[in-house]
Amino acid sequence: MSNIYTRSGDKGQTSLVDGSRVAKDAERVEAYGHLDEINSWVGAARAFATDSLLDRTLEFLQHRLYNCSSNLATPPDSGFEPPLVTPEDVIFLERAIDRFESATGPLAQFVVPGGSQAAGLLHICRTVCRRTERRLVGLSASEPVDATVVAFINRASDFLFAAARYANQVVGAEDVHWDKNLPLPDLDV
C-alpha cells in the first residue's frame, strides 16, 4: 500500500480479501471491525502490562486476532486461503488461563471491572470480545464462519478475564468484588 487513503470507500463500500466489494455495514465487515476494536484495546492494555508473561500472551492474542480478521475478510468460496486460527491456538489460550489462575487463585466472587490500569483495560477488551462473539454467532446464522474462529473468540474473552485478574495480582492490586449491599458513599468527605 502506498497511501493510507484510497478513496475507494467513499461511497460506503469496502473490499474483501478477494477484491469483491461489500457494504461497509455488512455483517461480515461489522464482525471483523469488532475484532479490530479488541485488538486496539489489547494494544492499549499492553502499554500498561508490567509483566513479561502477560505481555507475551497479549502479543500472541493480537496476532491471532489479525488472523481471525483476515479469515472473516475472506469470502467463503473465494479460493483464497486466509491465515489459520487452529485448535492449538484455542488450547494455548486455555493453558494461559490455567497459568494465570494458578497465580490468582480460584474465583470466589463476581469481579467488578477495575483495579490496575492494565486490568481495567483488559476488562474493556473482554466486554468487546463478548460483543464480537455475539456478532460472529449472528453472522454464522446467515453466512459460513470458521468454527475455530468462533471458539477462539469465545476462549479469548475468558483469557482476557483471567489476564485482567493476573494484571492486578502482578502489581499487588486487589480484584474489586461485587458488593450487592455496598453502602451509600459519604458525599461530605
Side-chain angles (χ1 to χ4, degrees):
M1 296 180 86
S2 58
N3 288 330
I4 297 294
Y5 61 90
T6 63
R7 299 185 181 111
S8 63
D10 291 352
K11 294 184 180 173
Q13 292 204 322
T14 191
S15 293
L16 297 178
V17 168
D18 67 349
S20 61
R21 305 286 291 170
V22 296
K24 286 187 175 187
D25 64 351
E27 280 186 281
R28 185 167 291 279
V29 176
E30 181 76 14
Y32 67 73
H34 287 292
L35 288 169
D36 189 34
E37 184 180 354
I38 297 167
N39 215 336
S40 296
W41 281 113
V42 172
R46 280 186 70 198
F48 294 99
T50 60
D51 179 80
S52 65
L53 172 63
L54 181 60
D55 183 62
R56 289 190 318 271
T57 56
L58 292 173
E59 179 183 29
F60 165 82
L61 178 64
Q62 285 191 290
H63 288 271
R64 286 309 185 273
L65 288 171
Y66 267 119
N67 287 11
C68 291
S69 293
S70 180
N71 188 294
L72 287 173
T74 304
D77 297 315
S78 70
F80 288 86
E81 289 295 324
L84 292 178
V85 179
T86 67
E88 290 77 20
D89 295 332
V90 177
I91 291 167
F92 173 80
L93 290 180
E94 292 171 354
R95 289 180 46 231
I97 292 166
D98 294 343
R99 172 64 177 83
F100 291 156
E101 286 185 337
S102 73
T104 61
L107 186 62
Q109 295 176 274
F110 282 105
V111 173
V112 175
S116 67
Q117 288 176 308
L121 289 167
L122 287 166
H123 279 294
I124 292 171
C125 295
R126 173 187 55 80
T127 61
V128 174
C129 197
R130 289 277 187 222
R131 176 175 16 103
T132 303
E133 183 183 10
R134 292 189 299 272
R135 294 290 188 265
L136 290 175
V137 169
L139 175 62
S140 69
S142 60
E143 297 183 49
V145 175
D146 184 335
T148 307
V149 169
V150 177
F152 184 83
I153 296 304
N154 177 269
R155 210 68 80 253
S157 61
D158 297 331
F159 164 80
L160 289 163
F161 177 80
R165 292 189 67 223
Y166 181 76
N168 275 340
Q169 190 269 339
V170 163
V171 298
E174 295 287 326
D175 281 334
V176 180
H177 293 113
W178 176 34
D179 180 352
K180 65 182 178 183
N181 298 312
L182 184 70
L184 297 173
D186 185 352
L187 299 176
D188 296 324
V189 177

